[in-house]
Amino acid sequence: MSGAAESSPEMLVGRCYTRARRHPLMIGKWPGGRGRIWGGPYTVPQVVVLAVSLAGLVLTRGLWAHFGLFNYVIALGGPYGLSLLVRHIRVDGRNPLAVAASSASLMTRPSGGRLGGRPLRALGGHRPLIGVCSVTWAAPQSRSR
């Protein structure tokens, strides 16, 4: 710590790390550092979107693969285009996969929240609130300086 911060106990030090200081994990070289991957570097969400969309197209090729050699352009160009799109999309400064994971956890959690690790359930029936409240009046005290 600096001497100025230690000498004054009332001084508050705040730090803000902008997006420029946060470095995402990048995938850009072949293992062992033997060269760059074509079109890279890629972020982890880009690689996930590329792999999932490529797997989805391969698994459903019976539905869409009726174009001869153009099938290969679709099968390779579509996922690559989606991965480039994911590189540039930001939702409130977050990548789309983090937003999707947050949205999924928001939709699957209990509506009442959790208490002690268990879903909180509403109590059955109505329970009247019984209590005593007393209000007293006091004259304001005068301040002497």
Side-chain angles (χ1 to χ4, degrees):
M1 290 207 151
S2 65
E6 293 174 3
S7 65
S8 175
E10 294 86 26
M11 179 185 287
L12 296 175
V13 177
R15 293 180 177 89
C16 178
Y17 296 102
T18 62
R19 187 171 164 225
R21 289 192 174 236
R22 294 184 209 131
H23 299 290
L25 179 63
M26 302 296 277
I27 302 166
K29 293 188 176 187
W30 290 106
R34 288 177 280 188
R36 288 187 48 166
I37 297 176
W38 180 79
Y42 300 107
T43 60
V44 173
Q46 281 182 278
V47 173
V48 170
V49 166
L50 182 77
V52 169
S53 61
L54 183 63
L57 284 175
V58 168
L59 291 174
T60 61
R61 69 181 173 266
L63 298 173
W64 59 268
H66 306 291
F67 304 109
L69 289 177
F70 191 65
N71 292 339
Y72 295 106
V73 173
I74 294 172
L76 298 176
Y80 184 70
L82 284 174
S83 71
L84 291 180
L85 185 67
V86 168
R87 176 187 290 183
H88 299 290
I89 291 179
R90 292 280 172 210
V91 181
D92 293 332
R94 301 167 61 198
N95 69 53
L97 297 183
V99 172
S102 297
S103 300
S105 68
L106 183 65
M107 288 187 284
T108 58
R109 70 180 179 184
S111 61
R114 292 188 177 273
L115 181 63
R118 295 182 179 171
L120 185 63
R121 301 185 193 278
L123 297 174
H126 297 286
R127 297 181 184 188
L129 178 64
I130 301 173
V132 176
C133 178
S134 61
V135 179
T136 58
W137 181 263
Q141 297 178 356
S142 62
R143 293 186 179 181
S144 60
R145 290 186 179 187

